[in-house]
Amino acid sequence: MVSSKDMDVTTSTGIAAYVKFIVSLCFCEEHQLGYDPSMTWCSENKYWIIKCPGRTPDNDDEQSATYYARDLVFVADHLFGRHTRGFYASADPELVDQPDTFIKDAWPHAERGSEDTSRNELAILQDIVQQLEKRGIDTKGYVRPVRGGTVRLDDNHDDDTDIVLDPVVGDIEAAHPRMGTIAENDETNASTLPAELAAGRGKDDEACAIDDSSRVEVIPYRVHRRLALKPIGKPLYALSSPYELIIVLADAMTAHSKILNLCGYLHRDISTNNILAIEVDGRVRGVLIDFDCAIKVGSQRRVRAERTGTPSFMSINNLRNSSVERSELDDWESLLYVVFWLGVHGVSEEEQSSYQAFIEGKYKTDKDFKPPLYAWENGSFEEVADSKERCLANPERFTSSVLDHFKEGPND
């Protein structure tokens, strides 16, 4: 946690510092307190009014569009990470209960002052769709951007961490001289920091990490971006059978391969949250979403070493942050962990609720009980990697650690 210096209110200096803090807080501008002028709640109609930036696949105009949404359908409220929020929305307030657009609101990493679009999800999605359509490929099974860009506080300022934290950066650096931008050869490197800081996000976040092969910014530079996307998908737990799950996963990874082989982008964040089910021509299909961690790869499929993804689903190579370049094999390994995870926890919402009730019952009788795959969800990067290696060490260990728990629950 980044904080100010301690204030000892038993001393005159401490009292003065505390009073200064309270007075400064009272005079903060609204955006420094977290207020977002581009998203407001209409209490009369009980819906969110959301302004989405104006870049579209056809032009770069700066005219934002207005969308209307009832409630949050996804939120990652973690101390570290992209703080992603999602809304089902409509451009017509009369159709707010019949949404056709997904609004993604997040704070991804960005290169300060750079025009590089290689890590910009909007630019990546636009490029993917354009390349696939040029090849005559039906893009109904792919996420398509309607519009999006960086949220602006006013005509002159993008909403980013510099705007929010600029008044206090000096105080933070003075209070924590070892923090800031840490070079690889510095005495204070990524390995000395908590995993959440070194990765740039909390262990349960769905966010991608920063490139800690070169440096670690303890206060990373992030920009506030908002995208309007189609189609609207359903989470995996909304599927009605394992057969539908197989279809959805197969479709998503087929798209993954085409995006890599034809467009040159490696996704790098395969997880249960990033594969959705959609309906195309009356049948269930799968769609791969969230390209915040995606990266353009060369003809040799070489990607710089960079820890990305959600720990429960990250490959062992990724978790260990090894110098071996990431490849599609890391994403396919992540898919295996998705299958293992769903097999143990259940696919449907009802199965997951039953499993959770079963685990809570176990805890009541055994305080030291550790559920299957416990370390995958609660361990550090190294602990998750160690647990996965043990699970996959041999067929017997895999059976006892994973497969035997596929049926475990109150209905077993």
Side-chain angles (χ1 to χ4, degrees):
M1 173 71 76
V2 178
S3 62
S4 65
K5 291 181 180 179
D6 292 340
M7 303 176 194
D8 185 353
V9 294
T10 64
T11 67
S12 58
T13 302
I15 292 173
Y18 181 69
V19 171
K20 179 183 177 181
F21 165 72
I22 295 298
V23 172
S24 299
L25 190 64
C26 293
F27 283 92
C28 271
E29 295 184 41
E30 287 184 324
H31 69 267
Q32 293 172 323
L33 298 174
Y35 176 72
D36 181 356
S38 65
M39 183 183 297
T40 56
W41 174 254
C42 177
S43 55
E44 179 181 355
N45 296 309
K46 294 183 171 54
Y47 54 54
W48 289 97
I49 302 174
I50 304 170
K51 299 288 186 181
C52 192
R55 259 188 80 189
T56 71
D58 301 319
N59 61 72
D60 291 336
D61 67 63
E62 293 297 326
Q63 297 299 315
S64 63
T66 303
Y67 289 86
Y68 305 86
R70 286 295 184 200
D71 297 304
L72 277 168
V73 294
F74 177 83
V75 61
D77 275 333
H78 303 291
L79 183 59
F80 303 98
R82 291 176 292 170
H83 196 76
T84 303
R85 295 180 294 173
F87 301 82
Y88 291 156
S90 172
D92 185 346
E94 299 297 323
L95 299 177
V96 66
D97 293 314
Q98 302 174 46
D100 62 355
T101 306
F102 182 77
I103 301 296
K104 177 182 177 181
D105 185 87
W107 287 77
H109 285 282
E111 293 293 330
R112 186 181 278 103
S114 172
E115 297 297 324
D116 181 21
T117 60
S118 63
R119 301 299 291 270
N120 184 321
E121 185 178 20
L122 176 65
I124 290 172
L125 291 175
Q126 289 176 343
D127 188 34
I128 288 172
V129 171
Q130 289 171 3
Q131 291 198 54
L132 292 176
E133 289 179 342
K134 283 181 181 178
R135 290 173 168 83
I137 295 174
D138 184 1
T139 58
K140 289 181 181 178
Y142 296 80
V143 61
R144 304 183 301 279
V146 178
R147 65 190 310 118
T150 301
V151 175
R152 299 181 68 85
L153 293 173
D154 52 45
D155 292 337
N156 300 314
H157 298 97
D158 290 343
D159 195 11
D160 59 23
T161 47
D162 282 353
I163 288 289
V164 176
L165 297 177
D166 182 64
V168 297
V169 167
D171 291 336
I172 292 173
E173 290 178 347
H176 303 275
R178 297 180 68 190
M179 290 187 171
T181 299
I182 302 172
E184 185 177 27
N185 59 357
D186 200 342
E187 292 181 0
T188 307
N189 55 43
S191 63
T192 67
L193 297 171
E196 296 90 340
L197 287 178
R201 52 104 176 97
K203 66 181 187 301
D204 294 325
D205 195 11
E206 82 307 342
C208 59
I210 60 177
D211 180 6
D212 51 6
S213 63
S214 58
R215 68 178 187 176
V216 173
E217 283 189 312
V218 177
I219 308 176
Y221 177 67
R222 296 176 181 271
V223 294
H224 187 186
R225 289 185 178 140
R226 186 172 297 145
L227 281 71
L229 306 167
K230 290 185 178 182
I232 285 181
K234 298 187 296 184
L236 296 180
Y237 63 73
L239 296 173
S240 60
S241 72
Y243 305 105
E244 287 188 344
L245 175 65
I246 293 171
I247 292 171
V248 167
L249 296 182
D251 280 347
M253 294 310 290
T254 297
H256 175 280
S257 295
K258 288 183 179 179
I259 290 169
L260 176 63
N261 296 324
L262 301 179
C263 308
Y265 291 100
L266 185 63
H267 188 273
R268 306 194 310 161
D269 191 13
I270 303 298
S271 71
T272 53
N273 285 334
N274 291 341
I275 298 176
L276 299 180
I278 60 174
E279 185 174 307
V280 177
D281 299 329
R283 74 179 187 89
V284 172
R285 295 273 303 271
V287 62
L288 187 61
I289 66 167
D290 195 349
F291 284 75
D292 268 338
C293 294
I295 194 168
K296 189 79 171 178
V297 300
S299 59
Q300 301 301 314
R301 299 282 177 84
R302 294 174 69 85
V303 181
R304 65 180 180 271
E306 183 180 12
R307 182 184 279 138
T308 60
T310 306
S312 299
F313 310 108
M314 287 163 62
S315 70
I316 295 171
N317 181 42
N318 194 358
L319 286 163
R320 297 219 185 277
N321 202 29
S322 81
S323 58
V324 177
E325 289 86 2
R326 307 292 183 260
S327 74
E328 59 266 43
L329 294 180
D330 291 277
D331 281 3
W332 281 98
E333 183 180 337
S334 292
L335 179 69
L336 291 178
Y337 299 136
V338 167
V339 175
F340 300 163
W341 186 268
L342 294 173
V344 171
H345 292 80
V347 177
S348 70
E349 196 166 20
E350 181 181 359
E351 288 173 340
Q352 292 182 14
S353 297
S354 296
Y355 177 80
Q356 187 60 38
F358 170 74
I359 294 301
E360 290 174 358
K362 283 282 192 180
Y363 275 130
K364 290 180 181 179
T365 58
D366 183 1
K367 299 299 182 182
D368 297 324
F369 171 73
K370 293 291 187 295
L373 312 185
Y374 174 84
W376 294 19
E377 189 174 9
N378 299 281
S380 65
F381 291 125
E382 287 297 324
E383 289 169 340
V384 177
D386 289 342
S387 176
K388 289 179 177 178
E389 284 190 339
R390 288 193 298 270
C391 288
L392 301 175
N394 54 62
E396 292 75 19
R397 179 64 67 85
F398 176 65
T399 298
S400 62
S401 300
V402 180
L403 287 184
D404 283 349
H405 300 284
F406 267 39
K407 296 181 179 180
E408 186 168 336
N411 297 321
D412 187 15

